[in-house]
Amino acid sequence: KILSYYLPYGNKMFENDGISLDIQQEFQIGYDPQTNRITIPVRTPLGDLCGVKGRLFGEPDEYNPKYLYIEPTVKAKLLYGLYENKDYIKSSNFIYVVESEKAVQQLATMGIRNAVSTGGKTISRTQVELVTRTGCTPIFAYDQDVQEDELQEIASMFMSGITVYAIIDKDNILSEKESPSDNSEKWFYLVKNNIYKIKGGE
């Protein structure tokens, strides 16, 4: 019922950011005319709608932030994309953990469906547990501005016996704050050349 409040249309802004209209439709991206925001439904691992994130359709300013929750949720208890990508994750040995919901959709457009988002550069204990429960080896693919020591701190939250990897842009191909998923050529280069173990499976 909540999703019926929004117009079920894809948008050119996301398409220009590397998210195809087909993927926008699959992830039920819409538009809320009341708030002038692109709507991103957020679901539990079982598929229940538990929130809607809104991306301002235009340039943000001090009164209009880029992102806000139109329907609030507790993002620390969820992994975006875990439900939408569940079948692909089940058949994968590893899982990409990215920052944003948009990154999950960008990767889906590239055909990469074993990905989830923490909704920011931090990760909660619950999110660590959800990643662990997939049985997949995590590969963190956070934005360029996340430092190696921050990744080490995140990796330390996982139980001993779990190996954790991360994409670290040691070749400096990303611009400041760029996400590895923003450009498909850069993504595939980084996956091939810049994945490093940050916690062994001791």
Side-chain angles (χ1 to χ4, degrees), residues 66-95:
K66 193 176 194 177
Y67 286 99
L68 56 75
Y69 282 96
I70 301 171
E71 295 288 343
T73 189
V74 182
K75 70 173 186 176
K77 293 185 177 180
L78 302 161
L79 287 173
Y80 179 80
L82 189 58
Y83 172 73
E84 291 85 351
N85 289 338
K86 63 182 186 302
D87 293 335
Y88 304 91
I89 292 167
K90 277 180 192 172
S91 59
S92 297
N93 293 322
F94 56 89
I95 186 169

Side-chain angles (χ1 to χ4, degrees), residues 101-162:
E101 296 83 4
K102 187 179 85 168
V104 171
Q105 296 165 32
Q106 287 172 326
L107 291 177
T109 300
M110 295 180 213
I112 299 158
R113 299 299 299 260
N114 53 328
V116 293
S117 160
T118 53
K121 64 192 292 185
T122 59
I123 190 169
S124 69
R125 294 280 177 195
T126 303
Q127 289 172 324
V128 166
E129 188 177 327
L130 289 170
V131 171
T132 303
R133 278 188 202 165
T134 66
C136 299
T137 299
I139 301 174
F140 281 83
Y142 275 9
D143 294 1
Q144 194 272 345
D145 60 336
V146 177
Q147 302 301 310
E148 199 166 340
D149 59 336
E150 294 176 274
L151 292 168
Q152 296 280 1
E153 192 173 329
I154 287 169
S156 71
M157 295 173 68
F158 286 82
M159 294 185 302
S160 60
I162 295 177

